[in-house]
Amino acid sequence: MSEGKNLSVEEKKELLKKLMKEKASKPTIHAKPAIENQVQGDLSVFARVEEFPEVQTLAAQFDTLQMLQVENPYFRVNEGIVNDKTRIDGRELISFSSYNYIGLSGDSRVSQAAKDAIDRYGTSVSASRIATGERPIHRELEKEIAEMLGVEDAIVLVSGHATNVTVIGHLMRPGKDLIVYDSLSHNSIIEGCVLSGARRIAFPHENWEELDKILTEVRGDYERVLIAIEGVYSMDGDIANLPRFIEIKKKHHALLMVDEAHSMGVIGPRGLGIRDYFGAEGTDVDLWMATFSKSFASCGGYIAGSRKLIDYLKYNTPGFVYSVGISPANAGAALAAARIMRSEPQRALKTQSNARYFLDKAKERGLNTGPSKDSAVIPVITGNSAHALILADALFKDGINVQPILYPAVPDNEARLRFFITSDHTEAEIDETVEKCANQLSRIRRDMADVAFPKSMLG
Ligand SMILES: Cc1ncc(COP(=O)(O)O)c(C=O)c1O
């Protein structure tokens, strides 16, 4: 007999919660791909994109926006530099939607450095660096990054996402290697894992004890093992327990990769990321990764580590060898931002104090901010996707731009607004935002308690 039979609605809800909790605390072990079946029937449907189920799902999502009478919150056009404020449709709003964490996108020194690099080297290096794309500014930037992290060298690539995909995808091998990654890892890490063809296991978020157990059990079955984590997790704003992961990596002879997209430039007493936050050694981590699109006010990504690793990647990684070098403007901006980051730690400290202020105020108003602590990412969890969407829409109309994160990006009951705090925000802007957010959310919960995404959309 099934466990759920003859239970009251409340008991069923409790049982469901318990089962979901149990599931979340277990590792996800991906099955080996099944052998494809012979395709039957009318093949022409596979040549009509509009009939692909995923394309039809997108159309249903647009219908949901209409049903809930909210504007589409995506692809809004920001008409200028986005810092604590933005301009959309001619209206000025307080913005919590950019990763301009320490206000360097729009900083005149960073903009000037990008312009100087264009004047000197042009707008494109037009080739892979291994061919004819190398410029002095590339090496200057890589040396700066390596110094910031206390490691021997670094390699810079054209995109943060592509950095993870190509590096993980290239270093790890099918049939021999294992990647164990945090279950809340960014898509770029997961895509890299998939590309590599190595065995993949997602350990429950931030659960290093479970990671230790997994490796105790299976480590011996593989040659190379990569542990992939993030400095700050971009959905929840919590910080990885780096010292524990370093211990585990050493114990199990694994490589450790840390994606610092949301931590570099923001956390730590000098704002130099998770290494700075915990006082770790640069050499404790094998692959330091980050993107230039956030605190570095540019575009691109890096891996920093030992000289041998970097040399190997420079001569072999497909996303570097077969792709153009980072543009002069982007390299110039990232280099200027890196130097400012090191010489003006007060920027990161301001972001940190603004985030603390936001968090304290939000908690005072009873908002659910999840596990966010000491980072610039603060979620406000609404408990259902429709409420998150309606709340973001109400705040937008009320002068605050913040993005909703909805099912399927997160489970429906963890739908949220995600606030990215910057050094430019003022206490008055934070006060106004928390006040409006708390008031609107109570109103929505009171007046729209039954409003939810249609069941058909919730998988
Ligand atoms: C954790 C993490 N890694 C990698 C990336 C990809 O960086 P980019 O957007 O600069 O390509 C992001 C982007 O948001 C991210 O959050």
Side-chain angles (χ1 to χ4, degrees), residues 20-211:
M20 284 176 76
K21 214 169 163 189
E22 278 174 10
K23 185 165 180 261
S25 68
K26 289 200 179 116
T28 313
I29 301 176
H30 298 269
K32 287 185 184 149
I35 295 166
E36 307 259 327
N37 289 328
Q38 188 66 40
V39 180
Q40 306 281 346
D42 176 11
L43 294 181
S44 70
V45 295
F46 298 110
R48 288 195 292 276
V49 175
E50 57 284 5
E51 287 186 30
F52 291 180
E54 59 272 37
V55 174
Q56 290 177 346
T57 303
L58 181 66
Q61 284 164 344
F62 290 131
D63 292 346
T64 306
L65 294 178
Q66 274 192 343
M67 183 197 85
L68 296 174
Q69 298 180 328
V70 295
E71 276 179 37
N72 184 342
Y74 306 112
F75 293 100
R76 282 197 173 123
V77 181
N78 294 269
E79 291 153 6
I81 292 164
V82 185
N83 36 44
D84 58 327
K85 299 232 170 65
T86 187
R87 180 165 287 277
I88 298 175
D89 284 337
R91 235 169 20 105
E92 188 173 77
L93 296 102
I94 305 173
S95 172
F96 291 93
S97 295
S98 93
Y99 305 115
N100 197 2
Y101 289 129
I102 50 172
L104 291 181
S105 176
D107 181 285
S108 58
R109 295 163 294 176
V110 176
S111 302
Q112 191 57 50
K115 291 173 203 166
D116 290 347
I118 290 177
D119 288 345
R120 196 146 182 198
Y121 305 113
T123 48
S124 169
V125 301
S126 312
S128 165
R129 285 171 54 193
I130 202 170
T132 57
E134 190 77 0
R135 298 292 183 277
I137 203 166
H138 291 139
R139 284 304 289 153
E140 279 176 63
L141 175 56
E142 287 167 345
K143 282 191 188 136
E144 189 72 27
I145 300 291
E147 267 182 43
M148 287 171 94
L149 286 155
V151 293
E152 288 175 347
D153 210 346
I155 176 175
V156 163
L157 295 96
V158 287
S159 135
H161 191 281
T163 300
N164 276 337
V165 176
T166 195
V167 171
I168 300 174
H170 191 67
L171 270 187
M172 305 305 287
R173 305 159 303 170
K176 295 179 173 175
D177 300 337
L178 169 71
I179 307 171
V180 262
Y181 61 95
D182 189 286
S183 59
L184 290 192
S185 291
H186 188 259
N187 168 273
S188 53
I189 293 177
I190 296 167
E191 296 272 323
C193 297
V194 173
L195 176 67
S196 75
R199 183 81 193 278
R200 293 173 279 141
I201 300 178
F203 62 90
H205 177 53
E206 209 17 41
N207 192 336
W208 48 267
E209 286 118 324
E210 187 64 34
L211 170 67

Side-chain angles (χ1 to χ4, degrees), residues 208-218 252:
W208 48 267
E209 286 118 324
E210 187 64 34
L211 170 67
D212 189 22
K213 269 195 224 152
I214 294 168
L215 289 179
T216 304
E217 223 171 273
V218 305
H252 295 285

Side-chain angles (χ1 to χ4, degrees), residues 99 159-162 164 186 188-189 230 232 234 259 261-262 289 291-294 300:
Y99 305 115
S159 135
H161 191 281
N164 276 337
H186 188 259
S188 53
I189 293 177
E230 294 180 24
V232 164
S234 63
D259 178 332
H262 299 272
M289 181 272 167
T291 155
F292 291 138
S293 58
K294 300 174 173 48

Side-chain angles (χ1 to χ4, degrees), residues 8-24:
S8 70
V9 174
E10 274 322 299
E11 285 168 326
K12 279 186 186 159
K13 271 192 194 160
E14 273 313 306
L15 179 62
L16 193 65
K17 254 199 223 159
K18 190 178 133 211
L19 291 175
M20 284 176 76
K21 214 169 163 189
E22 278 174 10
K23 185 165 180 261

